[in-house]
Amino acid sequence: MNIVMFGAPGSGKGTQSDLIVDRFRLTHISTGDLLRAEIKAGSEIGKKVEGLIAEGKLVSDDIIVALLRKKVETTKDTAGFIFDGFPRNVAQAEVLDEILKGIGERVTVMLDMEVEEKTLIERLILRGQQSGRADDNMETIKNRLDVYRNVTLPVMDYYKKQGCYRQINNNGTVEQCFAQVEAAIEDASK
């Protein structure tokens, strides 16, 4: 089982991914976590992306794909993957299909976490206050939402054409959302 978590920044992809990992025993791959690990390690890649992330800009596909490919190909004994923050554009979606095909897999379901924009902004501001993340400030949030609308949103149509798209309403509680997530995953797995 391979799940793509999709939605705007602050839509709850990470929170729901954690619950999916606990319930379905999948490997969670967050491109944000992969990039932050590179920054923390002080690697060449980490130094390159640190400024981009702080400005709310997207990291190049080459860097993201290399990190993701390495993680997928080196992870053994898993029931599948949750891709959180990837793909962010149609080219990345095509590459993900290629990576998964290389290990005899495919995307099972894409879960689109729908949240009202006002709620997204409130969640991101709160997250920034609680975690100290440099990319959760008003200017960067607005830029990230613009990038999402203009660059990332077309990925939705890519998965609709494959028949694995499922919309999830995440304006309610974490538990209400997870009930929808669970039902969508079980339906897609049939």
Side-chain angles (χ1 to χ4, degrees), residues 20 55 71 131 181:
I20 294 168
E55 294 172 21
K71 180 72 173 175
S131 71
V181 165

Side-chain angles (χ1 to χ4, degrees), residues 125-156:
I125 293 291
L126 180 63
R127 183 174 77 182
Q129 292 168 347
Q130 292 175 341
S131 71
R133 277 181 54 171
D135 58 339
D136 286 337
N137 62 69
M138 194 51 132
E139 182 181 336
T140 303
I141 289 167
K142 287 185 177 188
N143 183 45
R144 290 169 67 204
L145 291 174
D146 285 343
V147 168
Y148 172 75
R149 282 187 287 271
N150 297 322
V151 177
T152 308
L153 214 47
V155 173
M156 184 187 315

Side-chain angles (χ1 to χ4, degrees), residues 20-179:
I20 294 168
V21 166
D22 288 346
R23 168 70 172 82
F24 295 97
R25 301 292 176 223
L26 302 179
T27 299
H28 182 207
I29 299 178
S30 162
T31 54
D33 289 348
L34 292 174
L35 291 170
R36 283 186 285 277
E38 292 293 323
I39 291 168
K40 186 176 180 181
S43 72
E44 186 177 324
I45 291 173
K47 291 173 186 172
K48 186 174 182 179
V49 301
E50 189 169 21
L52 293 173
I53 290 175
E55 294 172 21
K57 294 181 180 174
L58 292 180
V59 176
S60 75
D61 285 358
D62 293 345
I63 292 171
I64 298 289
V65 168
L67 293 172
L68 183 107
R69 185 182 301 273
K70 179 181 175 186
K71 180 72 173 175
V72 168
E73 291 175 352
T74 60
T75 300
K76 305 296 180 206
D77 300 323
T78 185
F81 297 96
I82 300 171
F83 299 96
D84 174 2
F86 188 92
R88 291 186 186 235
N89 58 51
V90 173
Q92 288 183 354
E94 291 168 347
V95 169
L96 179 59
D97 284 348
E98 173 195 313
I99 291 169
L100 289 173
K101 187 177 180 182
I103 61 167
E105 294 288 335
R106 65 175 180 77
V107 171
T108 309
V109 65
M110 183 256 236
L111 301 175
D112 179 15
M113 310 298 288
E114 288 291 320
V115 179
E116 294 171 3
E117 188 164 316
K118 177 182 176 235
T119 304
L120 289 173
I121 292 170
E122 289 169 358
R123 287 180 183 177
L124 291 168
I125 293 291
L126 180 63
R127 183 174 77 182
Q129 292 168 347
Q130 292 175 341
S131 71
R133 277 181 54 171
D135 58 339
D136 286 337
N137 62 69
M138 194 51 132
E139 182 181 336
T140 303
I141 289 167
K142 287 185 177 188
N143 183 45
R144 290 169 67 204
L145 291 174
D146 285 343
V147 168
Y148 172 75
R149 282 187 287 271
N150 297 322
V151 177
T152 308
L153 214 47
V155 173
M156 184 187 315
D157 290 330
Y158 180 84
Y159 286 108
K160 282 181 179 178
K161 287 175 186 170
Q162 290 188 4
C164 59
Y165 170 87
R166 302 291 189 282
Q167 185 177 31
I168 306 294
N169 177 332
N170 195 13
N171 289 299
T173 66
V174 170
E175 294 77 18
Q176 289 168 330
C177 181
F178 189 65

